[in-house]
Structure formats: structure tokens, C-alpha cells
Amino acid sequence: MSSSPAQRLKVEPAQAPLHGELRLPGDKSIAHRALILAALATGESTVAGLPDGEDVASTRRVLQGMGVEILEDGPGVLRIEGVEIGGLRPGPAPLDCGNSGTSVRLLAGAVAQGEGTFVFTGDVSLSRRPMERIAAPLRAMGVQVEPGPGGGLPLQVSGPVRQALDHTCPVASAQVKSAVLLAGLAAPGRTIFRAPAASRNHTERMLRSMGWPVEESEEGRVVSLVGQAGILRPLDLKVPGDPSSAAFHLVAASLLPGSELNLEGVLANRGRLSFLDWLVRMGAPVEARNESDAAGEPVATLRASFAGGLSAVEIHAGALPSVIDEVPILAVAAAHAEGTTVFRGAGELRHKESDRLQAVIDLLGTAGIAAHAEGDDLFVEGEPGLRERAPTGTYEARGDHRLAMAATVLALTTGGGEVSGAESIAVSYPAFVSDLSRLGAQLEAHGS
Ligand code: S3P
């Protein structure tokens, strides 16, 4: 859910290819971490290329609410004065994280380092999301943690952390992993996080770039660090473009004849580009080129052009965490593909900004595409003639930014339609509509 006024987006069926180049907003996951870790550093950090979405603004606002000094040094450039590990203190008001799960879960780990009682709140959607997954390990580290009555928000956290932990987490969640590692920075001894599959590793990479060793084994399923082992050096970082935002344009281009796109300066961390590998397997000519490096993370230009037909794939459960945010748009690609695409072990989607598993099924259903869940597996029965059949309809975004953008691409590549709840796009990518229009799409936003 966004704090912006309700908006409907009218989408015309594409009459022309998508063409051009775009610079995407900075990666949301890296931006949250850069702000939080800069606040925990010793000295002043500079972070450029921050995205202007509401989620990252929530992290910034909450840090400022805890007395962290953040100065604007130009558009998207911030200077952050670190308060050091254990230095965050509660302010006078609850810490409102808006719609942002990454803000509340990572910050809960960060505030656990020191003294004080911190209360996190958020919007209706965030308040319903499960917090016990971070509460349990933090409690085992000696922190008092109390989620709200339904297991969500308000979440109360009282540090300081007293002991390190060897934690086996039933879900492969980067947010839980990061919460445990952040608390572990202030715990005596080695904190170990074990998960059934690897998840995005930006916290680990950024900590290393700030001088704090983080060990990784079993292909990223086990991560550990030793707490109370020094200081975090300040960051000087330019946040690369967000691949999860790029995915919407790339899929649209692969579905529209004659399209050709270049998206420069995008984060190319392999764990975040898995969706590209799956699109290639489906037959889409997408690629990452000209890799360079920025603050411990690879950066590349992503290119896509028309595929001339896609075929179904089966994404296995071990690979699902690395495409977790791209499932809605991959499901749109799957709707156009020959055969049945299967997303195995996609149950975590039920706990995102909406019940994304059901929401994806309903979204595709509006276009007459059969999709269903069996347990945690999602099945999408593709229809290669979908563009010609040109279904149209009103797609309901359910306050979920990724659904709103996936629905826009679905409408664009079929018979057009309306996306209601399009204001949610501002959570991660406020310029999505203008960027897609610049590439050639015809879109019109209305208040509702
Ligand atoms: C994120 C981790 C993922 C992802 C979210 C961002 C992060 O959540 O869905 O959009 O920045 O750590 P989980 O870790 O809960 O899977």
C-alpha cells in the first residue's frame, strides 16, 4: 500500500515496439542496507544513486527518527553521520516503516545492538506480515521482542543483544538473515545463520566492503560473522540500478515484436539476475553485458529484444528465493509461453506486500489464463496466441507495487486494460509509468 492518492492506470495495447535506453532507479535492497550500515559506521558516509521510492524513504525517515543525521547533498545523494554499532536510540515517536518489510526487519536487528525500547509500526499490509521469523532468533540472542497481536506490527524490540547465535532458519529469507547478522555485529562470539537455500547477499558484501569479515559456505546457505570485532568503516557508494525494476521492461520487450532495449548501470549480482537466466531458458534474447564493479557489487548493461515465442520452464524450489521478487513478471512471460510453467516452492509469496501467490493467479485469470497453486507450487498454463486473443480487463494491484507493474505489462502485451491501485508503484519505482511511456508504451494515469 502506498501513501499516495489512489490511481488507475489506463494501458493501451502496444501498437509499436519498445525502443530505447533507460537508467533505472537505484537498487532498493542495496539502498536500505547502505543507509542502515552507514548509520552504524564510524564516520561520515556518502551514498549516491538512492532511489526515490517510498520504501527507501521509510528507512531514511526511521533512521532520522532515531537521531541519525542525514544531509542531502544533491538529488539522490546523502551524507550520513554514523552513530556506530550499538548507537541507535529510540526517538519520541514510533518508527513508521510504511509498506517496507526490509526496513522493519533489518532495523529490528540493528536496534537490538544497543540499549532502549524501539517500537516499529507500518501500513495495513506491513502490519499483517509475519515478524516471528525475526523475533525468534533475536530472542534467542537475549533481545526482548514482541510482535503485535497477529504476529505482525507493532513490533517492540528492546536490546541489547547478549549472546551470539547458531540459527537454522526454515525460510531462505535475506531479511531474516540480515536481521540476525546485524544483531550479531554486537554479540560476543560467532553468529551463524543457516537456511535451506541461498538468498541475496548484499548485507554480507557491504559489511565486507566496510572492513568486517563475513564467512560464507555451502553455496551461500550458511553465513557467519564474529561480533564485537571492530568498527564499520564509512561507505562511499553509488547504488547501481535495480534489476527487479528492470525485469518489467525486459519482459515487455521480449514480448513485443521489433523491440530493443538497453538498460545501463544495473546491479548484476548473480543472485539477483537469476530471472535473466530463466528468461533465456524460456527463449528470450536477454543478456547482461559490459560488467564492471561498484563497491563490491558487479554492474552491467541489460539488453533485451523480441523473442518471437517463449516456452515454459520449471523453476525448482532451490532457485525460487533468487527470483522471489520477479515471480509476478515471470508469470506474465509464462502466460505467453508454450506449455505449463511451474514455480516450485513459491509459498513465501503468500507473505509479501499482498498474498502474491493468489494475486498472481487472479491477475492471470482476469486475462483468461489458467493458473493455480498446488501446495506451494504455482502452475501457469501458457497461451502462445495470447497477444492475438487480446483479452482486456481491470487488473487489481491489491496495494502491491510489483503486481501493479506486472499487470501493466500484461495489459500492454495483450488487449490493454486498466490497472487499479497503480499508486502502489511509487513504493519502489515512481518513474515506472513515465519510463515505460518513453520506451513507446501508451499509458494514462487517472485519480480514482
Ligand atoms: C529483500 C528480501 C526479500 C525480497 C524483498 C527484499 C531484501 O524478502 O522479497 O523484496 O532486501 O532483503 P525475504 O528476505 O523476506 O524473502
Side-chain angles (χ1 to χ4, degrees):
M1 235 150 278
S2 157
S3 51
S4 310
Q7 201 177 69
R8 294 172 83 81
L9 187 64
K10 188 161 188 298
V11 184
E12 296 296 337
Q15 305 292 346
L18 295 182
H19 254 293
E21 311 198 338
L22 284 182
R23 278 238 163 232
L24 290 151
D27 185 71
K28 195 155 79 73
S29 290
I30 294 203
H32 286 296
R33 287 161 173 79
L35 292 176
I36 294 169
L37 289 177
L40 299 174
T42 301
E44 188 187 79
S45 295
T46 303
V47 183
L50 284 160
D52 55 357
E54 293 171 7
D55 270 9
V56 173
S58 292
T59 290
R60 174 181 170 181
R61 188 181 58 243
V62 167
L63 287 169
Q64 286 174 313
M66 293 189 285
V68 178
E69 249 182 70
I70 303 182
L71 294 176
E72 208 146 333
D73 217 5
V77 185
L78 295 179
R79 282 193 287 127
I80 301 126
E81 191 59 48
V83 296
E84 304 200 331
I85 292 170
L88 292 171
R89 290 289 171 266
L95 305 165
D96 179 3
C97 294
N99 189 241
S100 177
T102 309
S103 306
V104 63
R105 296 207 178 105
L106 269 61
L107 284 164
V111 302
Q113 293 170 354
E115 303 276 341
T117 294
F118 300 80
V119 180
F120 294 95
T121 60
D123 70 9
V124 177
S125 139
L126 182 59
S127 299
R128 282 198 287 254
R129 293 177 66 184
M131 294 299 150
E132 193 51 38
R133 52 182 59 194
I134 54 160
L138 291 177
R139 268 187 219 116
M141 298 174 92
V143 182
Q144 284 180 38
V145 192
E146 272 175 50
L153 303 185
L155 178 77
Q156 191 168 307
V157 182
S158 310
V161 57
R162 304 210 180 266
Q163 67 232 20
L165 177 69
D166 184 343
H167 182 60
T168 300
C169 185
V171 286
S173 163
Q175 294 178 354
V176 180
K177 173 175 66 179
S178 301
V180 170
L181 292 179
L182 289 174
L185 289 174
R190 183 172 289 277
T191 288
I192 307 172
F193 182 87
R194 303 171 195 272
S199 58
R200 64 194 69 191
N201 61 359
H202 308 307
T203 304
E204 297 91 302
R205 282 176 179 249
M206 203 176 286
L207 282 171
R208 285 188 202 114
S209 81
M210 298 172 86
W212 201 290
V214 183
E215 308 331 314
E216 209 173 294
S217 59
E218 298 188 30
E219 292 160 336
R221 294 190 299 275
V222 180
V223 183
S224 75
L225 56 74
V226 174
Q228 300 185 349
I231 58 160
L232 290 173
R233 290 199 300 261
L235 281 170
D236 186 2
L237 171 75
K238 179 167 188 320
V239 182
D242 195 327
S244 303
S245 299
F248 300 101
H249 302 302
L250 297 171
V251 168
S254 72
L255 293 173
L256 296 173
S259 295
E260 225 160 292
L261 288 191
N262 266 319
L263 309 177
E264 286 171 27
V266 182
L267 172 71
N269 178 316
R270 294 315 298 175
R272 293 288 304 285
L273 281 191
S274 293
F275 74 91
L276 222 58
D277 299 335
W278 290 106
L279 282 172
V280 168
R281 282 181 219 186
M282 293 176 87
V286 288
E287 58 175 354
R289 269 206 196 167
N290 304 330
E291 292 210 10
S292 60
D293 232 58
E297 294 275 9
V299 176
T301 297
L302 304 189
R303 297 163 60 98
S305 50
F306 176 54
L310 297 178
S311 38
V313 286
E314 180 168 337
I315 301 183
H316 53 94
L320 208 280
S322 60
V323 294
I324 188 81
D325 289 342
E326 290 81 39
V327 171
I329 189 61
L330 285 174
V332 170
H336 286 272
E338 175 87 55
T340 301
T341 291
V342 189
F343 299 86
R344 299 266 178 218
E348 266 299 293
L349 291 174
R350 296 197 175 94
H351 308 296
K352 294 295 173 189
E353 286 84 332
S354 64
D355 173 351
R356 263 188 203 157
L357 196 58
Q358 190 55 47
V360 165
I361 292 168
D362 295 346
L363 185 77
L364 298 180
T366 303
I369 289 290
H372 71 281
E374 278 171 31
D376 285 345
D377 298 339
L378 170 65
F379 296 79
V380 177
E381 290 173 36
E383 181 186 332
L386 180 59
R387 187 141 185 263
E388 291 68 41
R389 178 163 67 79
T392 180
T394 296
Y395 299 99
E396 180 43 65
R398 303 191 184 181
D400 184 334
H401 55 130
R402 297 201 201 278
L403 276 180
M405 291 186 274
T408 305
V409 174
L410 180 58
L412 180 72
T413 55
T414 56
E418 281 214 334
V419 180
S420 77
E423 71 282 358
S424 58
I425 293 171
V427 158
S428 63
Y429 190 180
F432 172 72
V433 170
S434 58
D435 278 357
L436 192 53
S437 305
R438 218 147 55 74
L439 296 175
Q442 283 185 14
L443 310 168
E444 211 181 299
H446 302 274
S448 62

